[in-house]
Amino acid sequence: EADIYQTPRYLVIGTGKKITLECSQTMGHDKMYWYQQDPGMELHLIHYSYGVNSTEKGDLSSESTVSRIRTEHFPLTLESARPSHTSQYLCASSAKYGDTYEQYFGPGTRLTVT
Amino acid sequence: AQSVTQLGSHVSVSEGALVLLRCNYSSSVPPYLFWYVQYPNQGLQLLLKYTSAATLVKGINGFEAEFKKSETSFHLTKPSAHMSDAAEYFCAVSDSRAAGNKLTFGGGTRVLVKP
């Protein structure tokens, strides 16, 4: 069973505030990902990392930034939150099983910007 | 480029009836295919995956999926629905030749199970 944690689970914050969404995993996985998911919609990859000091932007453009200073930690930061950032943010990590990597997801952070 | 299309954003089934969720993919290289389930206010959980071994893949909770290359499909089925199957289901594809397993997801299908 994968152990991947996200905090906070729910966040309501005003426009212009700086926020950091935390993601941690205890499996020692090198690869980690951030997805954005609007209600009833598919997941879109916004950031990924293949290891410490490695970060890349995903398929969906995002004003957020990420860092990967430690293997187990992959925080996402919004310098100035806006209502358009309201969404659910899911963190994942992956490991290789057999032929391919399997991604394990955290429970998500539901962000509301007022 | 890869893409996934899930036909039907909502499916309603009676308890005990067959569950069939449709997924078609587009990929220029041999794909790896996945089905995930998401319960309310939770992350995604892997149900099953196809990686070019057997075309009929069995997963958790009684689900299975069949890879059909000629139809570019990977439909998910369960013979008998249970109330606990009510959730959202996502089909995803990744490039078998790329490192790191970036996933492209379909739009999801929400399953409602009627007693």
Side-chain angles (χ1 to χ4, degrees), chain B residues 5-77:
Chain B
T5 301
Q6 292 184 237
L7 298 177
S9 58
H10 292 79
V11 168
S12 180
V13 298
S14 298
E15 192 174 17
L18 171 72
V19 180
L20 170 60
L21 305 182
R22 300 180 186 274
C23 172
N24 289 89
Y25 69 91
S26 171
S27 178
S28 58
V29 298
Y32 289 151
L33 294 158
F34 305 81
W35 274 100
Y36 283 86
V37 60
Q38 185 178 32
Y39 299 101
N41 299 317
Q42 294 186 27
L44 277 69
Q45 179 182 6
L46 181 65
L47 278 176
L48 50 80
K49 66 179 182 181
Y50 166 77
T51 61
S52 78
T55 56
L56 182 62
V57 181
K58 294 187 182 299
I60 62 172
N61 302 340
F63 284 94
E64 63 182 36
E66 186 172 9
F67 173 72
K68 291 187 177 180
K69 183 178 179 180
S70 60
E71 298 177 8
T72 61
S73 69
F74 190 55
H75 301 332
L76 181 72
T77 60

Side-chain angles (χ1 to χ4, degrees), chain A residues 9-10 31 33 35 37 40-43 45 48 50 59 88 90 94 97 99-103 105-107, chain B residues 32 34 36 38 41-44 46 49 51-52 88 90 94 99-108 110:
Chain A
R9 291 292 314 277
Y10 303 91
K31 296 174 175 51
Y33 314 80
Y35 293 88
Q37 182 185 28
M41 303 292 286
E42 66 261 47
L43 286 76
L45 181 68
Y48 61 99
Y50 287 167
D59 303 322
Q88 173 155 261
L90 289 165
S94 70
Y97 293 92
D99 295 337
T100 187
Y101 287 83
E102 294 180 8
Q103 290 194 18
F105 284 79
Chain B
Y32 289 151
F34 305 81
Y36 283 86
Q38 185 178 32
N41 299 317
Q42 294 186 27
L44 277 69
L46 181 65
K49 66 179 182 181
T51 61
S52 78
E88 186 138 25
F90 291 93
S94 73
N101 163 238
K102 289 165 54 179
L103 293 175
T104 299
F105 284 87
R110 186 171 297 278

Side-chain angles (χ1 to χ4, degrees), chain A residues 14-58:
Chain A
T15 296
K17 300 292 186 181
K18 178 180 179 179
I19 58 170
T20 296
L21 308 185
E22 302 288 350
C23 176
S24 295
Q25 49 97 3
T26 60
M27 291 84 67
H29 292 167
D30 287 330
K31 296 174 175 51
M32 296 188 74
Y33 314 80
W34 275 104
Y35 293 88
Q36 185 173 341
Q37 182 185 28
D38 292 327
M41 303 292 286
E42 66 261 47
L43 286 76
H44 291 286
L45 181 68
I46 53 174
H47 298 283
Y48 61 99
S49 168
Y50 287 167
V52 171
N53 295 325
S54 156
T55 61
E56 301 285 346
K57 290 189 177 295

